[in-house]
Amino acid sequence: MMKNLMTVSELDAKDISEMVRIARKFKNGKNVSLKKVKNKTLALIFQKPSTRTRLSFEIAMEQMGGNSIFLSESDLQISRGELIKDTARTLSEYVDIVAMRTYHNSDIQEFIDNSSIPVINALSNTNHPCQALSDIQTIIEKKKTLRNLKITWIGDSNNVLNDFLFAALKLGADFSIACPSKYSPNKGIIEVAKEIMRKNKSSLSISTDPMKAVIDSDVVVTDKIVSMGDKNKEGKKKVFLPKYRVTDKIMSKAKDDAIFMHCLPAVRGEEVSDSVIDGKNSVIWQQVDNKLHMHKALIWSMLR
Ligand code: CP
Ligand code: NVA
Protein backbone atom coordinates (compact mmCIF):
# COMPACT_ATOMS: atom_id res chain seq x y z
CA MET A 1 0.00 0.00 0.00
CA MET A 2 1.17 3.55 -0.67
CA LYS A 3 3.41 5.40 1.78
CA ASN A 4 2.22 8.87 0.73
CA LEU A 5 -0.61 10.08 -1.47
CA MET A 6 0.16 12.98 -3.80
CA THR A 7 -1.95 12.03 -6.83
CA VAL A 8 -4.05 9.10 -8.04
CA SER A 9 -1.71 8.77 -11.02
CA GLU A 10 0.74 7.04 -8.63
CA LEU A 11 -1.78 4.30 -7.78
CA ASP A 12 -2.68 1.34 -9.91
CA ALA A 13 -6.20 0.05 -10.50
CA LYS A 14 -5.71 -2.59 -7.81
CA ASP A 15 -4.78 0.04 -5.18
CA ILE A 16 -7.86 2.09 -6.04
CA SER A 17 -10.17 -0.93 -5.81
CA GLU A 18 -8.57 -1.94 -2.53
CA MET A 19 -9.12 1.53 -1.03
CA VAL A 20 -12.78 1.40 -2.10
CA ARG A 21 -13.12 -2.07 -0.59
CA ILE A 22 -11.73 -0.89 2.77
CA ALA A 23 -13.83 2.30 2.74
CA ARG A 24 -16.97 0.22 2.14
CA LYS A 25 -16.01 -2.09 5.01
CA PHE A 26 -15.91 0.95 7.30
CA LYS A 27 -19.16 2.24 5.84
CA ASN A 28 -20.98 -1.05 6.31
CA GLY A 29 -19.80 -1.42 9.92
CA LYS A 30 -17.72 -4.51 9.14
CA ASN A 31 -15.15 -5.54 11.70
CA VAL A 32 -11.88 -3.68 11.07
CA SER A 33 -9.17 -3.85 13.73
CA LEU A 34 -8.44 -0.31 14.87
CA LYS A 35 -5.38 -1.21 16.94
CA LYS A 36 -2.95 0.61 14.69
CA VAL A 37 -4.99 3.85 14.73
CA LYS A 38 -5.72 3.97 18.47
CA ASN A 39 -4.07 6.98 20.13
CA LYS A 40 -2.36 7.97 16.87
CA THR A 41 -2.43 11.62 15.83
CA LEU A 42 -3.25 13.14 12.44
CA ALA A 43 -2.08 16.70 11.77
CA LEU A 44 -4.10 18.66 9.23
CA ILE A 45 -2.08 21.50 7.69
CA PHE A 46 -4.49 23.62 5.67
CA GLN A 47 -3.48 26.74 3.73
CA LYS A 48 -6.92 26.95 2.09
CA PRO A 49 -10.44 26.75 3.57
CA SER A 50 -12.29 23.44 3.86
CA THR A 51 -15.60 22.21 5.24
CA ARG A 52 -15.88 18.58 4.17
CA THR A 53 -12.28 17.42 3.93
CA ARG A 54 -11.27 18.87 7.28
CA LEU A 55 -14.36 17.64 9.13
CA SER A 56 -14.33 14.17 7.63
CA PHE A 57 -10.63 13.67 8.39
CA GLU A 58 -11.11 14.86 11.98
CA ILE A 59 -14.22 12.75 12.53
CA ALA A 60 -12.59 9.73 10.85
CA MET A 61 -9.72 9.92 13.33
CA GLU A 62 -12.03 10.40 16.31
CA GLN A 63 -14.27 7.48 15.33
CA MET A 64 -11.22 5.21 14.94
CA GLY A 65 -9.88 6.07 18.40
CA GLY A 66 -7.18 8.49 17.31
CA ASN A 67 -6.73 12.25 17.57
CA SER A 68 -6.36 15.11 15.13
CA ILE A 69 -4.87 18.59 15.28
CA PHE A 70 -5.92 21.24 12.80
CA LEU A 71 -3.26 23.79 11.85
CA SER A 72 -4.06 26.67 9.54
CA GLU A 73 -1.09 28.38 7.95
CA SER A 74 -1.18 31.23 10.48
CA ASP A 75 -0.92 28.69 13.34
CA LEU A 76 2.47 27.52 12.15
CA GLN A 77 5.87 29.22 12.15
CA ILE A 78 5.82 28.67 8.37
CA SER A 79 3.87 31.96 8.33
CA ARG A 80 6.99 33.61 9.81
CA GLY A 81 9.38 32.00 7.39
CA GLU A 82 10.23 28.63 8.96
CA LEU A 83 11.12 26.19 6.23
CA ILE A 84 8.76 23.39 5.25
CA LYS A 85 11.60 20.92 5.67
CA ASP A 86 12.11 21.94 9.31
CA THR A 87 8.36 21.85 9.90
CA ALA A 88 8.23 18.35 8.42
CA ARG A 89 11.06 17.12 10.70
CA THR A 90 9.34 18.68 13.71
CA LEU A 91 5.94 17.15 12.98
CA SER A 92 7.56 13.76 12.44
CA GLU A 93 8.62 13.87 16.10
CA TYR A 94 5.09 14.50 17.36
CA VAL A 95 2.41 13.10 15.06
CA ASP A 96 1.88 9.91 13.08
CA ILE A 97 0.34 11.07 9.80
CA VAL A 98 -0.27 14.38 8.00
CA ALA A 99 -2.91 15.64 5.56
CA MET A 100 -1.96 18.84 3.74
CA ARG A 101 -4.05 21.30 1.72
CA THR A 102 -1.78 23.69 -0.15
CA TYR A 103 -1.32 25.63 -3.36
CA HIS A 104 1.72 23.86 -4.82
CA ASN A 105 2.53 20.14 -4.98
CA SER A 106 6.17 21.12 -4.51
CA ASP A 107 5.34 22.09 -0.90
CA ILE A 108 3.81 18.68 -0.26
CA GLN A 109 6.78 17.00 -1.95
CA GLU A 110 9.19 18.97 0.25
CA PHE A 111 7.22 17.84 3.28
CA ILE A 112 7.32 14.21 2.10
CA ASP A 113 11.05 14.38 1.40
CA ASN A 114 11.78 15.62 4.90
CA SER A 115 9.39 13.63 7.06
CA SER A 116 9.32 10.06 8.32
CA ILE A 117 5.51 9.87 8.48
CA PRO A 118 2.87 9.34 5.75
CA VAL A 119 1.60 12.49 4.01
CA ILE A 120 -1.74 12.83 2.20
CA ASN A 121 -2.53 15.55 -0.35
CA ALA A 122 -5.86 16.97 0.89
CA LEU A 123 -6.10 19.24 -2.22
CA SER A 124 -3.60 21.33 -4.12
CA ASN A 125 -3.95 23.60 -7.15
CA THR A 126 -3.51 20.59 -9.43
CA ASN A 127 -4.80 17.55 -7.52
CA HIS A 128 -7.47 16.28 -5.15
CA PRO A 129 -6.78 12.54 -4.83
CA CYS A 130 -8.93 11.97 -1.72
CA GLN A 131 -11.96 13.39 -3.53
CA ALA A 132 -11.29 11.20 -6.56
CA LEU A 133 -11.12 8.05 -4.46
CA SER A 134 -14.31 8.71 -2.54
CA ASP A 135 -16.08 9.68 -5.77
CA ILE A 136 -14.99 6.38 -7.33
CA GLN A 137 -16.52 4.67 -4.29
CA THR A 138 -19.80 6.49 -4.97
CA ILE A 139 -19.81 5.45 -8.63
CA ILE A 140 -19.10 1.82 -7.72
CA GLU A 141 -21.95 1.87 -5.19
CA LYS A 142 -24.33 3.23 -7.82
CA LYS A 143 -23.10 1.51 -10.99
CA LYS A 144 -21.13 -1.53 -9.73
CA THR A 145 -18.19 -1.00 -12.11
CA LEU A 146 -16.49 1.77 -14.07
CA ARG A 147 -15.54 -0.54 -16.96
CA ASN A 148 -17.13 0.92 -20.15
CA LEU A 149 -19.10 3.49 -18.17
CA LYS A 150 -19.43 6.83 -19.96
CA ILE A 151 -18.45 9.67 -17.64
CA THR A 152 -18.81 13.27 -18.78
CA TRP A 153 -17.12 16.17 -17.02
CA ILE A 154 -18.57 19.58 -17.90
CA GLY A 155 -16.59 22.64 -16.83
CA ASP A 156 -13.16 23.72 -15.73
CA SER A 157 -10.15 21.40 -16.10
CA ASN A 158 -9.12 21.70 -12.48
CA ASN A 159 -7.58 19.81 -9.56
CA VAL A 160 -10.71 17.70 -8.97
CA LEU A 161 -10.93 16.68 -12.63
CA ASN A 162 -7.27 15.65 -12.86
CA ASP A 163 -7.32 12.92 -10.23
CA PHE A 164 -10.89 11.87 -11.03
CA LEU A 165 -9.89 11.44 -14.68
CA PHE A 166 -6.83 9.35 -13.76
CA ALA A 167 -8.85 7.16 -11.40
CA ALA A 168 -11.73 6.63 -13.85
CA LEU A 169 -9.39 5.81 -16.76
CA LYS A 170 -7.46 3.35 -14.59
CA LEU A 171 -10.73 1.54 -13.88
CA GLY A 172 -11.67 1.35 -17.57
CA ALA A 173 -14.16 4.20 -18.04
CA ASP A 174 -14.80 6.10 -21.27
CA PHE A 175 -14.27 9.71 -20.25
CA SER A 176 -15.54 12.77 -22.03
CA ILE A 177 -14.72 16.38 -21.15
CA ALA A 178 -16.63 19.44 -22.36
CA CYS A 179 -14.86 22.71 -21.59
CA PRO A 180 -13.88 25.98 -23.30
CA SER A 181 -10.70 25.32 -25.31
CA LYS A 182 -8.77 27.83 -23.19
CA TYR A 183 -9.54 25.71 -20.11
CA SER A 184 -8.74 22.28 -21.57
CA PRO A 185 -6.53 19.89 -19.56
CA ASN A 186 -2.88 20.83 -20.01
CA LYS A 187 -0.34 18.79 -21.98
CA GLY A 188 1.12 17.13 -18.88
CA ILE A 189 -2.30 15.82 -17.78
CA ILE A 190 -3.07 14.55 -21.30
CA GLU A 191 0.26 12.74 -21.44
CA VAL A 192 -0.44 10.96 -18.12
CA ALA A 193 -4.00 10.17 -19.27
CA LYS A 194 -2.71 8.68 -22.55
CA GLU A 195 -0.29 6.42 -20.71
CA ILE A 196 -3.08 5.23 -18.40
CA MET A 197 -5.45 4.60 -21.34
CA ARG A 198 -2.82 2.58 -23.14
CA LYS A 199 -2.55 0.21 -20.18
CA ASN A 200 -6.21 0.09 -19.13
CA LYS A 201 -8.26 0.07 -22.37
CA SER A 202 -10.15 3.22 -21.52
CA SER A 203 -10.77 6.33 -23.63
CA LEU A 204 -10.86 10.12 -23.45
CA SER A 205 -12.51 12.67 -25.72
CA ILE A 206 -12.38 16.44 -25.28
CA SER A 207 -14.79 18.89 -26.91
CA THR A 208 -16.29 22.34 -26.49
CA ASP A 209 -19.89 21.10 -26.83
CA PRO A 210 -21.52 19.96 -23.56
CA MET A 211 -24.81 19.02 -25.30
CA LYS A 212 -23.04 16.55 -27.58
CA ALA A 213 -20.45 15.36 -25.07
CA VAL A 214 -23.10 14.30 -22.56
CA ILE A 215 -25.11 12.05 -24.93
CA ASP A 216 -25.70 8.61 -23.34
CA SER A 217 -23.57 9.36 -20.28
CA ASP A 218 -23.90 7.24 -17.14
CA VAL A 219 -22.27 9.87 -14.95
CA VAL A 220 -22.29 13.67 -15.33
CA VAL A 221 -19.86 15.68 -13.20
CA THR A 222 -19.00 19.31 -12.68
CA ASP A 223 -17.22 21.58 -10.18
CA LYS A 224 -17.03 25.27 -9.43
CA ILE A 225 -15.86 27.50 -12.27
CA VAL A 226 -13.59 29.45 -9.92
CA SER A 227 -11.32 27.34 -7.72
CA MET A 228 -9.51 28.53 -4.60
CA GLY A 229 -6.55 30.61 -5.65
CA ASP A 230 -7.84 31.25 -9.21
CA LYS A 231 -7.30 34.71 -10.64
CA ASN A 232 -9.55 36.68 -13.03
CA LYS A 233 -12.72 35.26 -11.50
CA GLU A 234 -15.22 37.36 -13.45
CA GLY A 235 -13.39 36.89 -16.77
CA LYS A 236 -13.40 33.15 -16.23
CA LYS A 237 -17.12 33.03 -15.47
CA LYS A 238 -17.87 34.94 -18.68
CA VAL A 239 -16.10 32.25 -20.70
CA PHE A 240 -18.07 29.41 -19.05
CA LEU A 241 -21.56 30.83 -18.62
CA PRO A 242 -24.20 29.95 -19.53
CA LYS A 243 -22.93 27.26 -21.93
CA TYR A 244 -21.15 25.04 -19.39
CA ARG A 245 -23.89 25.06 -16.72
CA VAL A 246 -25.32 21.58 -16.04
CA THR A 247 -29.07 22.03 -16.54
CA ASP A 248 -32.05 19.70 -16.99
CA LYS A 249 -31.64 20.15 -20.74
CA ILE A 250 -28.09 18.82 -20.57
CA MET A 251 -29.09 15.98 -18.21
CA SER A 252 -31.90 14.98 -20.59
CA LYS A 253 -29.25 13.95 -23.16
CA ALA A 254 -27.59 11.57 -20.67
CA LYS A 255 -29.04 8.13 -19.87
CA ASP A 256 -32.26 8.17 -17.81
CA ASP A 257 -30.45 6.64 -14.84
CA ALA A 258 -27.36 8.87 -15.16
CA ILE A 259 -26.08 10.19 -11.85
CA PHE A 260 -25.06 13.80 -11.28
CA MET A 261 -21.94 14.43 -9.18
CA HIS A 262 -20.33 17.53 -7.64
CA CYS A 263 -17.61 17.47 -4.98
CA LEU A 264 -19.03 20.64 -3.37
CA PRO A 265 -18.91 23.48 -2.48
CA ALA A 266 -21.22 24.46 -5.38
CA VAL A 267 -22.32 27.84 -6.65
CA ARG A 268 -25.93 27.04 -7.38
CA GLY A 269 -27.12 28.71 -10.58
CA GLU A 270 -23.59 29.00 -11.97
CA GLU A 271 -22.02 25.63 -12.86
CA VAL A 272 -25.23 23.73 -12.05
CA SER A 273 -28.93 24.55 -11.78
CA ASP A 274 -30.82 23.99 -8.53
CA SER A 275 -33.08 21.51 -10.28
CA VAL A 276 -30.12 19.27 -11.20
CA ILE A 277 -28.17 19.47 -7.95
CA ASP A 278 -31.34 18.83 -5.93
CA GLY A 279 -32.84 16.47 -8.51
CA LYS A 280 -33.45 12.74 -8.22
CA ASN A 281 -30.28 11.83 -10.12
CA SER A 282 -27.99 13.86 -7.87
CA VAL A 283 -25.71 11.85 -5.54
CA ILE A 284 -23.97 14.78 -3.86
CA TRP A 285 -24.86 13.77 -0.29
CA GLN A 286 -23.61 10.24 -0.87
CA GLN A 287 -20.36 11.82 -2.08
CA VAL A 288 -20.16 13.87 1.13
CA ASP A 289 -20.79 10.75 3.25
CA ASN A 290 -18.21 8.67 1.39
CA LYS A 291 -15.45 11.18 2.12
CA LEU A 292 -15.63 10.07 5.77
CA HIS A 293 -15.32 6.38 4.94
CA MET A 294 -12.58 6.89 2.35
CA HIS A 295 -10.57 9.05 4.74
CA LYS A 296 -10.80 6.28 7.34
CA ALA A 297 -9.56 3.82 4.72
CA LEU A 298 -6.64 6.07 3.78
CA ILE A 299 -5.51 6.73 7.36
CA TRP A 300 -5.94 3.06 8.30
CA SER A 301 -3.98 1.84 5.27
CA MET A 302 -1.18 4.37 5.47
CA LEU A 303 -0.45 4.14 9.20
CA ARG A 304 2.29 1.65 9.79
N1 CP B 1 -14.99 18.61 -1.62
C1 CP B 1 -14.15 19.22 -0.77
O1 CP B 1 -12.94 18.98 -0.73
O2 CP B 1 -14.77 20.13 0.04
P1 CP B 1 -14.07 21.08 1.10
O3 CP B 1 -13.31 22.14 0.35
O4 CP B 1 -15.21 21.65 1.90
O5 CP B 1 -13.14 20.27 1.94
N1 NVA C 1 -11.84 22.94 -7.51
C1 NVA C 1 -12.24 23.37 -6.19
C2 NVA C 1 -12.49 22.20 -5.31
C3 NVA C 1 -12.92 22.52 -3.92
C4 NVA C 1 -13.13 21.31 -3.09
C5 NVA C 1 -11.16 24.27 -5.60
O1 NVA C 1 -9.98 23.95 -5.71
O2 NVA C 1 -11.51 25.31 -5.06
Side-chain angles (χ1 to χ4, degrees):
M1 216 6 104
M2 63 264 189
K3 181 174 181 290
N4 303 292
L5 178 60
M6 175 73 92
T7 157
V8 167
S9 65
E10 296 161 350
L11 309 181
D12 57 30
K14 252 202 194 146
D15 296 326
I16 299 170
S17 303
E18 178 63 3
M19 291 314 307
V20 170
R21 192 186 67 80
I22 299 168
R24 295 187 75 189
K25 261 181 109 169
F26 276 113
K27 184 171 182 172
N28 296 326
K30 294 267 164 61
N31 195 22
V32 182
S33 167
L34 297 176
K35 242 184 16 215
K36 61 176 176 173
V37 191
K38 211 168 164 39
N39 297 325
K40 294 285 166 59
T41 301
L42 163 75
L44 294 149
I45 302 178
F46 276 42
Q47 298 178 336
K48 294 176 176 179
S50 169
T51 300
R52 285 146 284 268
T53 308
R54 173 187 175 171
L55 278 167
S56 52
F57 265 118
E58 289 187 3
I59 292 163
M61 214 50 194
E62 189 187 316
Q63 290 184 354
M64 291 192 293
N67 315 294
S68 60
I69 301 175
F70 181 80
L71 300 156
S72 71
E73 196 176 34
S74 58
D75 292 322
L76 289 167
Q77 294 287 12
I78 288 178
S79 62
R80 296 178 57 245
E82 186 169 20
L83 298 179
I84 290 178
K85 69 175 188 180
D86 292 339
T87 308
R89 283 290 297 272
T90 302
L91 263 77
S92 301
E93 300 293 331
Y94 295 136
V95 307
D96 304 283
I97 183 164
V98 169
M100 274 180 95
R101 174 168 282 200
T102 67
Y103 292 85
H104 307 293
N105 283 5
S106 53
D107 289 349
I108 303 174
Q109 194 56 53
E110 193 178 338
F111 204 99
I112 289 173
D113 292 342
N114 292 282
S115 70
S116 55
I117 51 177
V119 180
I120 300 170
N121 179 356
L123 182 146
S124 63
N125 285 359
T126 52
N127 297 87
H128 199 357
C130 304
Q131 186 69 45
L133 291 172
S134 58
D135 288 347
I136 294 295
Q137 180 188 344
T138 303
I139 297 176
I140 288 175
E141 287 171 354
K142 296 303 266 186
K143 302 282 175 192
K144 304 269 186 292
T145 175
L146 273 84
R147 176 70 49 201
N148 299 331
L149 219 58
K150 181 172 177 188
I151 300 179
T152 300
W153 174 280
I154 297 172
D156 191 20
S157 301
N158 64 16
N159 45 6
V160 174
L161 169 63
N162 292 343
D163 276 311
F164 182 61
L165 170 68
F166 298 152
L169 292 180
K170 280 175 191 259
L171 297 185
D174 296 317
F175 209 101
S176 143
I177 298 173
C179 61
S181 43
K182 192 176 162 196
Y183 292 96
S184 249
N186 68 37
K187 255 191 179 167
I189 299 295
I190 299 291
E191 283 312 308
V192 177
K194 275 189 183 159
E195 181 60 20
I196 297 173
M197 285 187 279
R198 205 176 47 76
K199 288 189 189 145
N200 297 280
K201 298 194 173 64
S202 41
S203 71
L204 170 64
S205 63
I206 302 176
S207 81
T208 55
D209 188 343
M211 287 304 254
K212 271 198 190 144
V214 79
I215 291 171
D216 285 338
S217 292
D218 300 281
V219 180
V220 182
V221 198
T222 190
D223 186 13
K224 275 166 84 118
I225 296 165
V226 178
S227 284
M228 293 179 277
D230 273 0
K231 300 191 177 75
N232 187 20
K233 298 179 186 169
E234 291 314 311
K236 204 172 169 191
K237 282 185 198 173
K238 272 192 198 140
V239 176
F240 280 87
L241 297 174
K243 186 174 173 185
Y244 297 92
R245 176 181 301 134
V246 182
T247 56
D248 289 319
K249 198 168 162 202
I250 285 189
M251 286 303 288
S252 73
K253 302 276 176 196
K255 287 186 181 156
D256 288 344
D257 64 350
I259 55 171
F260 169 77
M261 302 180 77
H262 191 311
C263 68
L264 303 181
V267 186
R268 287 159 174 269
E270 278 193 7
E271 73 275 11
V272 58
S273 68
D274 276 311
S275 56
V276 170
I277 200 166
D278 295 328
K280 65 174 182 12
N281 298 40
S282 171
V283 296
I284 57 167
W285 303 119
Q286 190 169 334
Q287 288 178 263
V288 170
D289 178 36
N290 282 339
K291 284 175 75 77
L292 172 64
H293 310 298
M294 183 52 73
H295 292 170
K296 282 185 184 172
L298 285 169
I299 297 164
W300 185 85
S301 306
M302 291 171 78
L303 274 176
R304 271 149 278 153

